Amino acid sequence: MNKHVSLLRKRYVDLRDTYLGSELKKVELLFYISVSIALGLIQYKLLNYENTYNIRAYISHIQSCIVILMAFRFGYVGLATAVVLVLAETIFIIEEYLVSFDKYLLLGLTLKFFTIFVTSFIAVLTNRQQIQKKRLERMAITDELTGAYNQRFFHMVLESELEKAKNNNGSVSLIMIDIDNFKMYNDIYGRDFGDNILRTTATILSEILDEGSYLCRYGGDEFAVITTNTRLDNLEDMANNLRRKFERLKQKYYKHKLYEKVTLSIGLSEYPNMSRDKNELIYQADTALYHAKNLGKDKVHLYQDALMQIRKNISSDHQQLIGIFKGLLSTISAKDKYTHGHCERVAAYAVLIAEAMGLSAKEISTIQCAALLHDIGKIEMPRHILNKKEELTEEEIKYLRQHPIYSENILEPLADMDKLTDYVRHHHERYDGKGYPDGLKGKEISLGARILCVADSFDAMVSDRPYSKSMSKEDAFKELEKNAGTQFDPEIVEIFIKAMKSYAA
């Protein structure tokens, strides 16, 4: 905790004050001790001279001020040092008094005892202030409910560790953890029940994680773990080990049978092998978590860069286009954060369907590429339409329905890739012929476009969008089945639901 509090101070306190709080503060204490001892020696020397009472009195006052200052600056450490120094002076005064019986020495002795009293009082106040300061610092970086670090600290420490990794050729791994079905527990059994799940989950994770890891409450029912210098090929094993240990330890911590059903979905990413900066690292881990939840809860998912997978499967003539498309997707993400993640998830669902249908590797690669780029035409759409929360006007709907055509135009350089642009253009066609932009019907719609239609619609249903809240995976399956034969190819719907349930099992 002290290491993390120091990190907070480096962020929010002047660097000079932080440094004084460590090395220079020790030098400062030694300086006060040295001055006080030097003044004591001077007083001792002055004992051999007559008429030096006034000088010795002034020196004594200066010493009293120094020991009081030490108590103020260093609390109990300063008090202990001050008591030793004052007692040494007191011994000198007593020895002199036993020789001369001078009444002024009794006054000096009284002053020394008074100095100890004042110093003790100030040291107690200083110590309380330091305790309060540490408590406030701890509150500033921790989540009150769970005791894990809060989101402010998460962003601060992630930036710090990424900077260190950049300078030292190290790595930073980010593990996003979500409590499965947490909303259901909260809604059915009450907020206290949900709060207990959050607290206990944080306690178990804290016990499992190594000392060098940072456990943060990222939001709601989501936790984030930051670790450093973990090999990329060991990251998934590490997360699976975490999930297994959680499964074992929850029997010990959860006292209610319902609590024992709590499971975790985990998403992973890493810097610098997978991401280039903080925002990309968070995005990738969050996207991987989303996949873990939708492809079957109680799962671990390592982020997969769909564009990099596509790069392996397309001809050298098209390799340079991947960088261009990545830039376009980033531009879309800046306008509409939903679209970028949506495209990656649709690609994963589309590949799942294509593999379940036994399509060739070439066909799967084309479908994956089309899925990733199917909404690229939204780059032409105004931000206010993409992010509008209210119902779209007829004119806006008509305009938005042009995006498959815009996507096809942008992807024209890939027209020689078997049916890719066809899949993109027709992914909003309906099986009953009431779709757009060309009103195709049934098998007139290419297989890839029919696959994209199911994958695209499923992700739209299970995702939070500006104008609608997400539905559960089970409800989305029911909606697909309800519209099979009208909006969707019934065979593809059946294959998709079976594949998803098989993956989750």
Side-chain angles (χ1 to χ4, degrees):
M1 176 65 76
N2 290 336
K3 178 180 71 173
H4 303 163
V5 170
S6 295
L7 186 59
L8 183 71
R9 285 176 179 161
K10 287 179 184 177
R11 177 78 177 187
Y12 293 104
V13 181
D14 181 83
L15 284 174
R16 182 174 176 275
D17 289 341
T18 304
Y19 192 57
L20 281 172
S22 53
E23 297 301 321
L24 287 184
K25 209 163 184 181
K26 295 176 185 175
V27 175
E28 183 185 356
L29 179 60
L30 288 173
F31 172 75
Y32 290 143
I33 294 171
S34 301
V35 170
S36 189
I37 292 173
L39 291 173
L41 291 173
I42 291 171
Q43 273 195 316
Y44 184 73
K45 292 289 185 183
L46 289 175
L47 290 174
N48 300 321
Y49 297 93
E50 296 181 0
N51 302 321
T52 58
Y53 286 119
N54 289 338
I55 298 174
R56 286 159 58 194
Y58 283 129
I59 292 175
S60 183
H61 286 312
I62 293 170
Q63 285 178 308
S64 296
C65 291
I66 289 174
V67 295
I68 290 171
L69 182 60
M70 281 195 293
F72 176 73
R73 293 286 289 127
F74 307 103
Y76 288 145
V77 174
L79 173 63
T81 308
V83 168
V84 171
L85 294 172
V86 171
L87 286 177
E89 294 175 50
T90 303
I91 291 170
F92 288 145
I93 293 172
I94 292 172
E95 286 180 352
E96 187 179 359
Y97 177 75
L98 291 175
V99 173
S100 64
F101 295 101
D102 191 326
K103 62 180 180 180
Y104 289 107
L105 292 173
L106 289 176
L107 183 62
L109 196 61
T110 304
L111 176 63
K112 294 303 174 187
F113 286 123
F114 181 73
T115 300
I116 290 177
F117 172 76
V118 172
T119 304
S120 301
F121 180 73
I122 291 174
V124 169
L125 290 179
T126 298
N127 188 65
R128 286 182 180 176
Q129 186 182 42
Q130 289 173 346
I131 291 171
Q132 178 70 0
K133 186 179 178 182
K134 287 178 182 178
R135 190 175 72 84
L136 291 173
E137 286 174 340
R138 193 160 50 247
M139 286 173 63
I141 63 172
T142 55
D143 173 61
E144 186 178 358
L145 176 64
T146 63
Y149 294 112
N150 59 22
Q151 195 176 102
R152 180 192 303 166
F153 183 81
F154 165 80
H155 288 289
M156 185 189 68
V157 77
L158 186 57
E159 287 173 9
S160 174
E161 293 299 339
L162 286 172
E163 189 64 31
K164 286 180 192 174
K166 191 183 297 182
N167 295 333
N168 303 324
N169 295 320
S171 67
V172 178
S173 302
L174 181 58
I175 304 172
M176 287 291 194
I177 303 170
D178 190 271
I179 301 173
D180 296 326
N181 301 315
F182 180 76
K183 187 175 183 300
M184 179 197 72
Y185 291 120
N186 240 4
D187 291 345
I188 297 176
Y189 302 106
R191 187 167 180 175
D192 289 343
F193 192 92
D195 286 350
N196 193 49
I197 288 177
L198 288 170
R199 277 191 297 267
T200 309
T201 300
T203 301
I204 297 172
L205 291 174
S206 297
E207 182 174 329
I208 295 171
L209 294 169
D210 296 333
E211 191 177 332
S213 301
Y214 300 87
L215 173 66
C216 308
R217 187 179 178 192
Y218 189 67
D221 59 340
E222 198 170 332
F223 293 91
V225 176
I226 301 169
T227 63
T228 56
N229 299 321
T230 301
R231 286 172 55 89
L232 182 58
D233 49 1
N234 292 336
L235 186 57
E236 205 164 357
D237 289 338
M238 174 185 159
N240 274 308
N241 187 46
L242 184 151
R243 190 177 59 82
R244 283 192 295 269
K245 284 184 177 179
F246 177 85
E247 195 65 29
R248 188 174 69 249
L249 286 172
K250 73 181 184 183
Q251 308 296 329
K252 169 185 170 185
Y253 282 92
Y254 288 129
K255 304 302 179 187
H256 195 291
K257 286 294 180 185
L258 283 171
Y259 289 131
E260 292 177 5
K261 295 180 181 178
V262 174
T263 57
L264 304 178
S265 291
I266 300 175
L268 313 166
S269 188
E270 185 259 9
Y271 169 91
N273 296 302
M274 298 177 71
S275 59
R276 297 167 297 178
D277 54 37
K278 173 191 159 190
N279 291 334
E280 197 168 88
L281 179 62
I282 294 172
Y283 165 78
Q284 290 179 356
D286 217 27
T287 300
L289 173 62
Y290 202 96
H291 278 308
K293 289 185 76 67
N294 285 341
L295 294 175
K297 293 167 185 176
D298 196 19
K299 301 282 184 184
V300 171
H301 189 80
L302 180 66
Y303 177 79
Q304 302 293 328
D305 191 327
L307 276 171
M308 292 302 101
Q309 292 175 328
I310 290 169
R311 189 190 290 273
K312 296 174 185 176
N313 297 309
I314 65 174
S315 67
S316 57
D317 296 336
H318 298 132
Q319 289 287 330
Q320 60 183 350
L321 295 173
I322 293 297
I324 297 171
F325 294 141
K326 194 163 188 174
L328 289 172
L329 284 171
S330 297
T331 304
I332 293 173
S333 182
K335 293 176 74 174
D336 174 20
K337 293 189 180 300
Y338 164 78
T339 299
H340 191 176
H342 165 72
C343 291
E344 292 196 332
R345 295 189 297 270
V346 170
Y349 298 138
V351 168
L352 185 70
I353 295 169
E355 288 176 343
M357 295 182 76
L359 302 185
S360 69
K362 183 180 178 183
E363 287 175 307
I364 293 172
S365 178
T366 303
I367 289 171
Q368 183 184 31
C369 188
L372 188 66
L373 303 172
H374 75 281
D375 275 344
I376 207 163
K378 286 186 177 178
I379 197 170
E380 303 283 353
M381 300 286 116
R383 189 193 298 264
H384 74 271
I385 292 180
L386 292 175
N387 297 313
K388 189 174 181 180
K389 294 183 179 180
E390 301 79 21
E391 190 175 345
L392 295 176
T393 65
E394 206 170 307
E395 178 97 21
E396 288 169 337
I397 291 173
K398 187 177 178 182
Y399 187 45
L400 189 60
R401 286 184 171 182
Q402 295 299 306
H403 81 267
I405 299 172
Y406 294 147
S407 295
E408 181 190 31
N409 293 338
I410 291 170
L411 297 175
E412 190 177 352
L414 295 178
D416 59 330
M417 283 184 68
D418 187 32
K419 294 189 177 179
L420 182 142
T421 53
D422 177 274
Y423 299 163
V424 170
R425 180 183 177 94
H426 296 130
H427 74 275
H428 277 298
E429 299 289 357
R430 288 172 56 105
Y431 202 69
D432 60 7
K434 296 178 181 179
Y436 61 89
D438 298 321
L440 301 180
K441 183 178 181 180
K443 299 298 168 84
E444 293 176 357
I445 308 166
S446 59
L447 177 61
R450 280 180 275 142
I451 288 173
L452 289 192
C453 182
V454 172
D456 179 53
S457 297
F458 175 78
D459 187 69
M461 286 187 278
V462 297
S463 302
D464 283 328
R465 308 184 79 173
Y467 45 83
S468 65
K469 285 291 182 183
S470 64
M471 62 174 66
S472 69
K473 187 170 65 174
E474 290 70 25
D475 286 342
F477 287 159
K478 290 176 184 176
E479 195 67 21
L480 289 175
E481 288 172 333
K482 176 184 172 183
N483 290 282
T486 54
Q487 183 176 354
F488 311 113
D489 182 329
E491 183 185 354
I492 292 174
V493 168
E494 185 181 349
I495 290 170
F496 174 62
I497 293 174
K498 185 178 178 181
M500 288 287 285
K501 288 181 176 178
S502 173
Y503 189 91

